[in-house]
Amino acid sequence: RFHDVGGYDWVSSFRQQRGEEVGKGRYLTPVHEIQRSDGSWEAHYFSATRYSPGDVTTCCCEYVGGAGFGSPRTLADYCRAEVHGRSQDSMLEVCSPYMAEPCPPDNTTAQELMGTPFIEVYET
């Protein structure tokens, strides 16, 4: 679920075992939006995520976009760091060292500069 302010959260059942992953993400920079004349759109920001089970904080340039109203949302993560063992610290504190360089201005440029992202697709 994407929230209007601050971030997003999720609950996802495991496929191969009982239980679920519970996570949260935070926008650590302002969200930059692009609206295109063909109706497609894209937003990007620097994000931090944390999930359980596990003790990992990810620090990523994240891009979300779609082809238009009602189309699936595609999320692409270009992670700069996976930090283990610091779940007691704020996500901003953990990820600050990886935010010195701004994220590329759009997903295409990010892929050119940062390589293949981790991708998830969500129905709307």
Side-chain angles (χ1 to χ4, degrees):
R1 296 176 305 181
F2 288 91
H3 305 288
D4 291 335
V5 176
Y8 49 95
D9 58 63
W10 70 91
V11 177
S12 181
S13 297
F14 295 127
R15 287 186 175 167
Q16 305 289 324
Q17 64 189 31
R18 296 179 69 177
E20 58 194 16
E21 178 182 281
V22 178
K24 62 181 175 179
R26 296 291 171 255
Y27 310 128
L28 299 182
T29 62
V31 177
H32 300 279
E33 297 181 31
I34 301 170
Q35 299 287 330
R36 297 186 182 94
S37 60
D38 64 359
S40 66
W41 62 277
E42 181 178 311
H44 78 274
Y45 44 86
F46 196 88
S47 73
T49 65
R50 191 172 281 156
Y51 54 87
S52 173
D55 187 6
V56 177
T57 303
T58 63
C59 307
C60 308
C61 292
E62 193 163 81
Y63 298 78
V64 181
F69 180 78
S71 69
R73 292 180 180 182
T74 301
L75 183 145
D77 281 333
Y78 300 87
C79 293
R80 292 182 174 163
E82 289 187 3
V83 181
H84 295 263
R86 293 195 51 198
S87 60
Q88 75 283 1
D89 298 327
S90 76
M91 288 192 267
L92 178 60
E93 184 178 344
V94 173
C95 290
S96 286
Y98 309 100
M99 297 171 58
E101 182 179 335
C103 293
D106 57 51
N107 192 25
T108 300
T109 306
Q111 190 165 10
E112 290 170 1
L113 296 175
M114 301 175 78
T116 304
F118 174 79
I119 295 177
E120 297 177 9
V121 178
Y122 299 94
E123 295 296 325
T124 54

